[in-house]
Amino acid sequence: MNNGPPPLFVIFGASGDLTSLKLIPALFRLHLKKRLPEGTRIVGVSRTPFTDDAFREKLADRIQSAAGKAWDRGAWDRFAPSIHYLGADATRPEELRNLETQLQALDGKGPSLCGRVYYLSISPTLYEKVVRGLGEAGMAREIGSCWRRIVIEKPFGTDRSSARSLNRVVHEAFQERQVFRIDHYLGKETVQNLLVFRFASAIFEPIWNRNYIDHVQITVAERVKVGGRGAYYDHAGVLRDMFQNHLMQLLALVAMEAPSRFEADALRNEKIKVLESIRPFHPEEIGRRLVRGQYESYLREKGVAAGSRTSTYAALRWDIDNWRWQGVPFYLRSGKALARRVSEIVIQFRHPPHLLFDIPEGQEMTGNRLVLGIQPDEGVHLKFQTKVPDQGMAIQDSDLEFHFREGRPDQ
């Protein structure tokens, strides 16, 4: 991005929490690290009336609250002039045409902003209207070196037919190379580290298969409840909110074969092979493979329908029918309002085929275990067995640990 002209980020739904809590803080951090091209500008778009200054102060208040003592007002004041606000209802084609005129006028006030990124920070129910409107307003058209990209957050539809319908609408306005259907979970350092851990280290690959691995556990547990997202969550539930995106991405990274090169299409193709190998559920198997639950106070949450049976917790078993993973169960679990917050992947290795040493009564042989911590414990833990000093041939569990906080180059 630094090699070309500065881009223009257009965030639709800019008055919402995603913009102030995630998107603008991320762009601000890129600015602090000098990873945004000089002259980059950001335009927030929503129906709520704001002036540029009022919008900037709203963002500053939220970011300062989250940053605490790390807040740097001077750095923010240098970044804030790059942020603008335009009021518009993006579901109305005539307002999008007027927005295009305003964006072109903004382009004339500084360096040429030949590239644009449209980020849909809006309700998924509005995706089709906004995408169709962008196409009709000519805002998806690329002329010469002036590129256009659109970023669509999950959920991408609610089932197969709605996802295909949305995809058709997207392709009416944008070419496939212009479209980013993102899962923000993939932006986590510890998730990206899965690729490095697997394919830049030679010691684990020979045992990364059904011959040595007993099972795999993937857990994303949250202590928080649904909070102000009750209306959305009651239509999505934990399976759509977490499993069909975040957990399936983690499963694919654990189970995929090495791509031929580190390139988007090659990575995607290997992930697809894994997903296509997952054994389908038959209706009579659901009771044995899936457990669902709901935390006690869920029905009292704002926006939740009376008597709702939406799941806030689920655990399921998946089997991958291919040569590497045949017979190795993958256990996935996620939920709200749980005892502790943890996101991790556990690779449980098989027991030795023949144990030479006596296990004291009451002690259990746990086997080797590799834990890839995603959050809040960001790191890698390997459990193995060692001799207890001065206790004959008694054995005990020991750990090798790596923590990301200890390995940062800026520390």
Side-chain angles (χ1 to χ4, degrees):
M1 188 177 289
N2 284 306
N3 296 326
L8 175 65
F9 287 86
V10 183
I11 303 174
F12 292 100
S15 61
D17 285 346
L18 181 62
T19 299
S20 57
L21 296 180
K22 297 291 186 181
L23 302 182
I24 296 299
L27 291 167
F28 183 37
R29 285 193 292 271
L30 290 174
H31 165 77
L32 293 176
K33 295 176 181 178
K34 303 186 184 304
R35 294 178 183 174
L36 284 182
E38 190 71 28
T40 295
R41 275 178 278 176
I42 303 157
V43 176
V45 178
S46 71
R47 291 175 295 183
T48 307
F50 280 111
T51 63
D52 284 356
D53 288 340
F55 183 57
R56 292 165 184 163
E57 281 305 308
K58 172 182 180 289
L59 296 173
D61 289 344
R62 298 295 294 273
I63 297 173
Q64 180 179 6
S65 177
K69 293 182 180 180
W71 171 247
D72 185 338
R73 183 72 205 201
W76 173 260
D77 288 341
R78 292 188 291 274
F79 175 67
S82 66
I83 302 174
H84 306 270
Y85 185 86
L86 296 174
D89 182 348
T91 65
R92 300 171 65 88
E94 63 275 15
E95 295 198 29
L96 281 176
R97 287 191 288 270
N98 182 54
L99 176 65
E100 171 64 7
T101 301
Q102 292 176 292
L103 292 176
Q104 290 179 9
L106 181 65
D107 192 20
K109 295 180 180 179
S112 177
L113 301 174
C114 200
R116 289 188 196 169
V117 177
Y118 302 121
Y119 198 110
L120 301 190
S121 179
I122 56 178
S123 168
T125 60
L126 302 178
Y127 286 167
E128 289 195 11
K129 283 186 178 180
V130 174
V131 171
R132 188 176 283 114
L134 289 171
E136 292 174 354
M139 298 175 72
R141 186 168 59 248
E142 297 181 322
I143 300 176
S145 62
C146 294
W147 52 265
R148 300 290 184 265
R149 301 291 185 268
I150 186 167
V151 180
I152 305 175
E153 266 269 20
K154 61 95 175 176
F156 195 91
T158 58
D159 54 22
R160 178 184 293 183
S161 62
S162 61
R164 286 179 170 174
S165 174
L166 175 56
N167 218 35
R168 283 193 294 271
V169 172
V170 169
H171 285 153
E172 288 171 2
F174 294 87
Q175 299 179 48
E176 177 60 27
R177 61 176 178 78
Q178 297 176 273
V179 182
F180 289 83
R181 305 167 190 82
I182 70 163
D183 183 338
H184 60 259
Y185 223 70
L186 294 177
K188 294 182 180 294
E189 292 279 3
T190 44
V191 173
Q192 295 177 16
N193 183 57
L194 277 168
L195 288 170
V196 176
F197 183 85
R198 285 203 57 200
F199 303 126
S201 303
I203 60 174
F204 286 104
E205 177 58 26
I207 58 173
W208 205 262
N209 57 59
R210 61 188 176 86
N211 296 322
Y212 296 94
I213 293 176
D214 183 77
H215 68 268
V216 177
Q217 301 177 39
I218 302 176
T219 302
V220 179
E222 300 177 275
R223 296 188 65 180
V224 298
K225 300 181 180 180
V226 299
R229 301 172 67 229
Y232 157 75
Y233 197 91
D234 204 41
H235 286 89
V238 68
L239 291 173
R240 285 184 179 141
D241 189 51
M242 295 299 296
F243 280 74
Q244 59 90 31
N245 40 72
H246 303 334
L247 271 72
M248 289 187 74
Q249 289 285 359
L250 294 178
L251 180 147
L253 290 172
V254 170
M256 65 187 282
E257 300 297 325
S260 58
R261 58 194 180 281
F262 185 64
E263 186 269 332
D265 287 347
L267 282 168
R268 181 198 61 194
N269 292 342
E270 294 302 333
K271 287 181 179 180
I272 290 174
K273 291 177 185 177
V274 173
L275 300 180
E276 289 178 338
S277 299
I278 293 176
R279 187 183 306 166
F281 277 20
H282 295 291
E284 63 274 12
E285 295 181 293
I286 291 178
R288 300 194 305 272
R289 291 178 169 266
L290 173 66
V291 175
R292 300 187 302 152
Q294 184 185 95
Y295 66 81
E296 189 174 7
S297 61
Y298 176 72
L299 295 180
R300 296 195 293 273
E301 301 285 5
K302 182 179 179 181
V304 173
S308 171
R309 295 177 60 84
T310 296
S311 302
T312 64
Y313 173 85
L316 61 81
R317 168 179 169 157
W318 266 331
D319 293 274
I320 300 176
D321 291 332
N322 62 22
W323 276 71
R324 182 184 290 266
W325 296 112
Q326 187 67 43
V328 178
F330 282 71
Y331 299 105
L332 281 63
R333 63 174 74 89
S334 182
K336 299 279 190 184
L338 297 174
R340 67 188 182 107
R341 173 177 176 249
V342 59
S343 297
E344 65 181 18
I345 299 167
V346 176
I347 310 296
Q348 180 64 57
F349 292 95
R350 297 184 183 277
H351 293 299
H354 173 62
L355 189 60
L356 301 178
F357 314 106
D358 293 334
I359 302 296
E361 188 174 348
Q363 182 177 332
E364 182 180 352
M365 180 70 174
T366 58
N368 301 125
R369 178 180 298 163
L370 177 67
V371 180
L372 305 171
I374 296 171
Q375 62 182 25
D377 178 15
E378 300 180 336
V380 180
H381 307 264
L382 178 63
K383 184 181 295 292
F384 57 100
Q385 279 66 48
T386 60
K387 179 184 178 298
V388 179
D390 197 30
Q391 296 292 324
M393 294 305 292
I395 62 176
Q396 64 181 355
D397 290 337
S398 299
D399 291 283
L400 286 175
E401 297 186 350
F402 162 78
H403 296 277
F404 265 79
R405 63 179 178 271
E406 299 169 358
R408 294 184 183 278
D410 56 349
Q411 295 298 314

